[in-house]
């Protein structure tokens, strides 16, 4: 059993973080502790601060106030780069030009360069790591396909493989199922959970789409207006009443959207 009073029990320890972009305050004194190996779903409307939360874990956000400790290290401007080698990040699917002259295997290898350095050529071991990651995400059969010729779901699988070859300890996913159809979305959610379990990662899965939230996550963080509005087990928080309050919708509208599987 983890000692919750011991800082070493946490992969992520955020204390009173304040982040501002010009005049807009994105985080308003957010505190969050995430245990090693925990799977956290982060839910909330657009503009709630969900992506900003990931950026400060990834060492990319500048704090106005507060403290962020990741894997036991206090994040500063000087150590963000070294810590990012241990933090994998997957964003939502982006449109890729079909003329892009890179095959799937080469795109996945990009994730190794954080460890190799830009001027070191990958060796046999690096390519073996890439091939293993492609096998895990089910893309071995398309390893030599041009990346721009893949579907959105296939491209997202490659993005996850590119993240995994980095050999991260923390797995950050920012709206990874956005713009995907229902089947691809379901497949990606199942894949993320399987990777989380197989690799023993600490995972933060951000979404505003309730149908994209893996119900198997250990804890749900509800965010609104740059604050953590509530947190706890999914079954206790993902009720129509609480979601109505979170999204400023009447309960009847939440019920309707759930029935119709409409993105909130």
């Amino acid at each position: 059993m983890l000692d919750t009073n011991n800082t070493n029990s946490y992969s992520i320890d955020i204390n009173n973080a304040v982040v501002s972009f010009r005049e807009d305050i994105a985080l308003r004194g957010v505190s969050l502790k995430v245990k090693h190996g925990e799977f956290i779903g982060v839910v909330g409307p657009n503009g709630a601060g969900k992506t900003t939360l990931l950026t400060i874990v990834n060492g990319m956000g500048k704090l106005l106030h507060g403290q962020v400790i990741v894997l036991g290290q206090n994040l500063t401007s000087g150590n963000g780069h070294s810590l990012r080698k241990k933090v994998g990040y997957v964003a939502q699917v982006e449109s890729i030009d079909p003329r892009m002259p890179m095959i799937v295997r080469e795109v996945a290898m990009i994730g190794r360069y954080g460890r190799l350095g830009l001027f070191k050529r990958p060796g046999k071991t690096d390519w073996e790591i890439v091939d293993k990651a492609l096998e895990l995400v089910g893309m071995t059969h398309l390893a030599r396909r041009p990346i721009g010729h893949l579907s959105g779901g296939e491209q997202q699988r490659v993005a996850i493989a590119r993240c995994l070859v980095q050999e991260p300890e923390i797995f950050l996913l920012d709206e990874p199922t956005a713009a995907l159809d229902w089947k691809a979305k379901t497949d990606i959610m199942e894949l993320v959970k399987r990777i989380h379990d197989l690799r023993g990662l600490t995972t933060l899965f951000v979404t505003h789409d309730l149908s994209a939230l893996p119900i198997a996550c250990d804890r749900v963080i509800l965010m609104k207006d740059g604050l953590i509005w509530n947190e706890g087990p999914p079954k206790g928080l993902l009720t129509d009443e609480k979601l109505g309050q979170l999204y400023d919708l009447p309960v009847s509208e939440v019920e309707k959207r759930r029935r119709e599987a409409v993105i909130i």
Side-chain angles (χ1 to χ4, degrees), residues 76-254:
T76 66
S77 57
N79 65 6
H81 176 72
S82 62
L83 272 175
R84 278 195 294 278
K85 295 178 184 178
K86 303 175 183 179
V87 181
Y89 180 87
V90 178
Q92 55 185 282
V93 181
E94 296 183 2
S95 178
I96 296 177
D97 190 330
R99 297 169 296 181
M100 184 176 180
M102 292 186 75
I103 63 172
V104 163
R105 199 167 180 249
E106 293 168 338
V107 172
M109 175 57 77
I110 292 172
R112 288 297 294 169
Y113 284 102
R115 289 186 174 272
L116 288 172
L118 288 176
F119 303 108
K120 184 177 179 182
R121 294 177 63 85
K124 179 181 177 182
T125 299
D126 299 300
W127 285 112
E128 287 174 349
I129 290 170
V130 166
D131 291 337
K132 186 175 180 180
L134 290 175
E135 181 180 6
L136 178 57
V137 302
M139 291 297 293
T140 300
H141 65 298
L142 296 176
R144 299 195 177 277
R145 180 77 59 88
I147 186 67
H149 292 189
L150 302 184
S151 68
E154 290 167 342
Q155 289 180 7
Q156 197 64 312
R157 287 174 179 269
V158 178
I160 291 172
R162 186 180 62 207
C163 169
L164 293 178
V165 303
Q166 186 181 329
E167 299 178 302
E169 296 179 42
I170 295 177
F171 195 21
L172 305 179
L173 300 111
D174 189 4
E175 305 279 2
T177 60
L180 299 182
D181 61 35
W182 179 85
K183 178 64 166 61
K185 181 188 300 185
T186 301
D187 290 344
I188 291 296
M189 288 190 294
E190 292 175 351
L191 176 62
V192 167
K193 184 61 169 67
R194 186 164 73 251
I195 290 169
H196 168 84
D197 292 339
L198 283 173
R199 297 288 180 97
L201 302 174
T202 301
T203 301
L204 269 64
F205 188 107
V206 161
T207 185
H208 71 279
D209 176 2
L210 298 178
S211 67
L213 182 68
I215 196 65
C217 60
D218 301 309
R219 183 162 44 120
V220 174
I221 306 296
L222 303 184
M223 293 194 70
K224 185 175 184 178
D225 298 328
L227 296 166
I228 292 180
W229 183 74
N230 209 335
E231 62 178 290
K235 289 184 179 179
L237 283 188
L238 300 182
T239 65
D240 291 342
E241 291 76 14
K242 284 190 171 62
L243 293 174
Q245 294 172 24
L246 179 67
Y247 286 93
D248 295 322
L249 290 171
V251 172
S252 59
E253 182 66 17
V254 175

Side-chain angles (χ1 to χ4, degrees), residues 248-262:
D248 295 322
L249 290 171
V251 172
S252 59
E253 182 66 17
V254 175
E255 292 172 345
K256 177 184 175 184
R257 295 191 183 199
R258 276 183 181 268
R259 286 195 305 270
E260 298 175 354
V262 175

